[in-house]
Amino acid sequence: MIEDEWWAATADRRLTVQRCRACGHAQHYPRELCTGCGGTDLEFTEASGHGTVDSFTVVHRAPSPAFQAPYVLARVRLAEGPILLTHLTGPGPWACDEPVRVGWRPLPDGRHLPVFEKDA
């Protein structure tokens, strides 16, 4: 599956985005086609790990016992352009347009989940 390469990079704590070799468009989540030009010549490139909070919400009632509330769910626009749906970690308060940088939450299988914290 196309997203396997993205997840494999997270094992090394590398945040990647797909980039179209034809038009240069960067995108996330991984797809078979470029959302900019429809091309299929795509590669994964390393992202800077910096972005800004586009939107966020504080979840006070978790959807299941697997999640510990409260937590902050956010859209982060990467410096490269794509938007990630992610968690914000660290102390608040949070605000839109706040600069953030990637951090990593380990997963049981050796991969890591990208989360974002305030960029000092």
Side-chain angles (χ1 to χ4, degrees), residues 16-74:
T16 59
V17 295
Q18 258 185 330
R19 185 165 306 276
C20 179
R21 289 185 179 113
C23 73
H25 178 72
Q27 63 189 27
H28 181 79
Y29 59 91
R31 300 170 177 96
E32 297 289 338
L33 296 173
C34 172
T35 59
C37 72
T40 58
D41 190 11
L42 301 166
E43 64 181 342
F44 284 92
T45 61
E46 197 152 339
S48 68
H50 294 274
T52 56
V53 176
D54 186 56
S55 180
F56 71 95
T57 188
V58 179
V59 178
H60 293 281
R61 188 183 317 174
S64 80
F67 298 92
Q68 185 176 356
Y71 58 90
V72 182
L73 186 63

